[in-house]
Amino acid sequence: MHGQCRFFSTKLSMEQIRTVLTSLFLFSCVFSGYAQEREAVGSEAKTDYTIYRMKTFGSLSTNGQTPFWISGNQYGIVPVEANTGYLQAGIFHRQPLGYGWEWRAGLDMVACTPRYRKVYAQQIFVALAYRWINLSAGSRSGYDYNLSLTNPALSSGDMVLSTNARPIPEINLYVPQFVTIPGTGGWLQGRGNFAAGRSYDTDYLHSFVHTDQPYIQNMLWHHKSLYLRVKDARNDFPVSMTLGIRHVAQWGGVSTDPTADVRVQPHSFKDFIRIVFGESGNEQATLSDQINVLGSHYGSYDFRIGYEKEKAAIFAYYQHFFDDASGMELRNIGDGLRGIQINLPDFNYLDKIVLERIVTVNQSGPFHFIEFDHTKYPGYGGGGDDYYNNGEYTSGHAYFNRSLGSPFLISPEYNADGSAGFKHSRIRAWHLGTEGNLTEALSYRLLASTIESFGTPYAPTLKKLTNSSFTTDLHYLFRNSWIFSASLAADRGSLLGNHIGFSLSVVKRGLIR
């Protein structure tokens, strides 16, 4: 029964976990009653506009594969296969309605090769906002939209929701920026979200999965978050602290296994409430979901402390990942993403530095004793968490086979045997990212990473697999509307193989009205 969702398999009580998720849910739904309106920024906040963005991209690589940092954290657009190219065109509109209301809409199309279904909509959404509260429907990208504490350009990637995969179509109620909570003297701010969506990668998975391994088609998604920040709104005190919790769940859908005891997974509104509050399934669910919790769940506790002055700032952060109660109890302490970001706005040629350490080898211990009687044997029983994998939802924490979290837990798209799921959930990695300006118009970015993989708790590798990846990017801004970019990247090691590649891209953006 390993790999099944084990959200309540250890001594942490259902009532305790339900309290956490209930608090998160209530915040996401009624946050509008406890925060102040954020101020509009810039003249655009007072007028309507329509903008366009067009991009052409091409890359060449050796040994049949695009280097890791050319394809990674690009919202799933750049294929893993070598020698790729795509055209992207988007149009986005914003229209104020008065009295703090506004609506937005966007359409972003991609034509890419080589790729399954070469022309598709990367983004298509409509959104309604009242002051700082937003309601969006559709597929939408954007770093603020995912509400991560990591740097979008320099980080290796958020462990729960990163920029590595295509956006899932969803309805999302969210507060994207921190807003001040009344009665706190300007010291406490908050933000959060509550979303429900659906996967549309069934046909793709059918073309990719070449084994008899069953998987769930047309699965549903839910995610929510809550962040609280302590910071002096007047900026007289330089230290700030942010605490957050995130919860993501996969549920619903239909199994491809015609002999499965439960093919159509529970998907009623009552089942959605069970997903939101982390409750067990009813008699229509699988036995595993009746014992534990309905669906497959992931999440994290996020912490960040910052020191900000005019000429420099430093942030230290930690993202503790969990996928069951043992992780929520911190039984897998040591696993997660640790990082430091340094901002040097007045330093010549170097603007930001990010250094990160990612570890996922603890996983609450090597074994998971799910079947013993917890009332008779009240001891700790968690372990073998197998991050991003699940026994029911075998495609894992991925969309179109790209990891929705950290790309370092290598995405299923790299599985040469056409199998679903993550083969490298136990890893140790270092990551360095820097960026700066060489001239007023010329900027650069440098990423360098090393990964050690030990497979999964249930399919360990015979020996440690390693990978080193780097990329260096140059960006030239011409007349504030053209961006010319060039990248040189390479991989080396036994995990992904040896590859060298480069890419060129041109972006044109502008105002239509």
Side-chain angles (χ1 to χ4, degrees):
M1 298 184 67
H2 68 74
Q4 303 289 342
C5 186
R6 304 172 295 275
F7 218 54
F8 300 118
S9 57
T10 64
K11 67 179 181 180
L12 189 65
S13 69
M14 184 178 293
E15 288 73 18
Q16 289 173 305
I17 296 179
R18 188 180 300 166
T19 298
V20 174
L21 297 183
T22 300
S23 301
L24 185 54
F25 167 73
L26 291 176
F27 172 87
S28 302
C29 293
V30 303
F31 184 80
S32 59
Y34 296 96
Q36 295 176 340
E37 175 187 359
R38 65 176 174 87
E39 295 181 359
V41 179
S43 60
E44 285 186 349
K46 299 179 181 180
T47 184
D48 63 297
Y49 60 85
T50 304
I51 60 176
Y52 70 89
R53 185 180 185 273
M54 298 183 294
K55 181 177 182 179
T56 179
F57 170 94
S59 70
L60 294 175
S61 310
T62 62
N63 295 333
Q65 186 172 296
T66 302
F68 185 77
W69 279 128
I70 289 182
S71 62
N73 283 346
Q74 299 297 319
Y75 292 104
I77 298 178
V78 181
V80 167
E81 296 88 348
N83 307 328
T84 69
Y86 69 84
L87 299 174
Q88 185 176 12
I91 183 170
F92 305 91
H93 179 74
R94 177 187 181 277
Q95 181 72 52
L97 300 174
Y99 301 101
W101 289 90
E102 68 175 48
W103 70 273
R104 295 174 183 253
L107 175 63
D108 190 18
M109 299 295 298
V110 174
C112 183
T113 186
R115 190 173 197 91
Y116 165 83
R117 194 167 290 174
K118 293 179 170 56
V119 179
Y120 61 92
Q122 175 73 3
Q123 296 186 77
I124 178 170
F125 67 88
V126 293
L128 181 67
Y130 177 69
R131 298 180 176 176
W132 37 263
I133 305 174
N134 294 259
L135 179 64
S136 179
S139 302
R140 191 172 184 182
S141 300
Y143 192 70
D144 287 341
Y145 188 75
N146 284 341
L147 303 185
S148 176
L149 294 179
T150 59
N151 184 289
L154 301 180
S155 171
S156 62
D158 188 284
M159 292 196 68
V160 176
L161 290 173
S162 70
T163 61
N164 192 55
R166 288 172 58 177
I168 295 174
E170 63 183 9
I171 297 174
N172 191 8
L173 177 67
Y174 67 106
V175 177
Q177 299 183 10
F178 282 102
V179 290
T180 302
I181 298 176
T184 63
W187 280 89
L188 184 62
Q189 304 89 39
R191 68 178 184 181
N193 86 295
F194 184 89
R198 179 186 184 275
S199 288
Y200 287 89
D201 57 355
T202 292
D203 292 341
Y204 166 80
L205 290 175
H206 179 72
S207 69
F208 179 88
V209 179
H210 301 313
T211 67
D212 58 359
Q213 176 185 15
Y215 57 91
I216 302 296
Q217 307 176 95
N218 304 320
M219 74 178 71
L220 304 175
W221 292 85
H222 163 64
H223 65 96
K224 56 184 174 287
S225 64
L226 163 62
Y227 286 97
L228 295 176
R229 183 180 69 180
V230 178
K231 183 179 180 180
D232 181 13
R234 298 181 300 273
N235 293 322
D236 294 332
F237 187 68
V239 178
S240 64
M241 182 176 66
T242 305
L243 305 176
I245 181 173
R246 306 175 82 176
H247 173 218
V248 178
Q250 299 165 281
W251 66 292
V254 180
S255 173
T256 60
D257 183 2
T259 65
D261 293 336
V262 178
R263 284 205 66 196
V264 180
Q265 302 294 318
H267 57 278
S268 69
F269 180 75
K270 289 184 178 179
D271 294 316
F272 177 61
I273 298 302
R274 292 186 177 97
I275 290 294
V276 170
F277 294 106
E279 296 181 348
S280 301
N282 60 16
E283 65 278 0
Q284 296 178 337
T286 63
L287 179 60
S288 173
D289 285 4
Q290 293 179 47
I291 295 173
N292 299 287
V293 65
L294 183 63
S296 174
H297 297 249
Y298 309 87
S300 68
Y301 301 132
D302 297 351
F303 308 89
R304 187 173 75 167
I305 187 168
Y307 180 84
E308 300 175 76
K309 300 292 286 186
E310 290 185 3
K311 295 186 177 181
I314 183 169
F315 302 93
Y317 50 92
Y318 172 52
Q319 186 175 38
H320 175 83
F321 184 82
F322 58 80
D323 77 345
D324 64 7
S326 62
M328 295 185 74
E329 286 186 299
L330 306 182
R331 296 287 185 176
N332 62 340
I333 195 68
D335 283 355
L337 168 67
R338 300 164 178 81
I340 296 176
Q341 176 178 328
I342 302 174
N343 297 349
L344 302 168
D346 294 337
F347 198 81
N348 290 335
Y349 312 125
L350 184 61
D351 185 49
K352 292 184 179 68
I353 305 171
V354 168
L355 179 64
E356 294 180 336
R357 174 67 165 169
I358 302 98
V359 177
T360 64
V361 298
N362 186 300
Q363 306 216 12
S364 304
F367 301 108
H368 188 77
F369 304 100
I370 190 175
E371 296 179 334
F372 73 87
D373 187 340
H374 287 265
T375 58
K376 186 176 181 180
Y377 305 101
Y380 168 66
D385 293 340
D386 201 6
Y387 302 152
Y388 292 8
N389 286 317
N390 182 264
E392 299 289 346
Y393 295 86
T394 55
S395 57
H397 189 53
Y399 187 48
F400 280 91
N401 263 348
R402 287 289 180 95
S403 169
L404 287 162
S406 172
F408 283 169
L409 282 71
I410 306 301
S411 296
E413 190 173 6
Y414 286 90
N415 296 347
D417 60 358
S419 61
F422 290 77
K423 294 186 175 183
H424 303 281
S425 65
R426 298 180 66 243
I427 63 111
R428 288 196 293 248
W430 285 98
H431 173 76
L432 173 68
T434 64
E435 67 179 8
N437 295 296
L438 302 176
T439 68
E440 186 175 345
L442 183 64
S443 62
Y444 74 91
R445 183 185 71 155
L446 174 67
L447 303 179
S449 310
T450 63
I451 308 173
E452 297 176 320
S453 172
F454 305 90
T456 74
Y458 307 103
T461 56
L462 296 178
K463 61 180 181 179
K464 178 177 67 177
L465 301 179
T466 63
N467 181 77
S468 297
S469 298
F470 87 92
T471 184
T472 178
D473 308 331
L474 291 176
H475 307 283
Y476 180 73
L477 177 63
F478 180 68
R479 293 185 177 177
N480 287 324
S481 62
W482 293 85
I483 303 175
F484 299 89
S485 301
S487 299
L488 176 65
D491 303 327
R492 185 172 181 83
S494 54
L495 180 59
L496 297 178
N498 301 329
H499 314 282
I500 298 176
F502 72 93
S503 67
L504 297 173
S505 68
V506 179
V507 174
K508 177 67 172 71
R509 62 190 183 187
L511 189 67
I512 296 178
R513 60 183 291 271

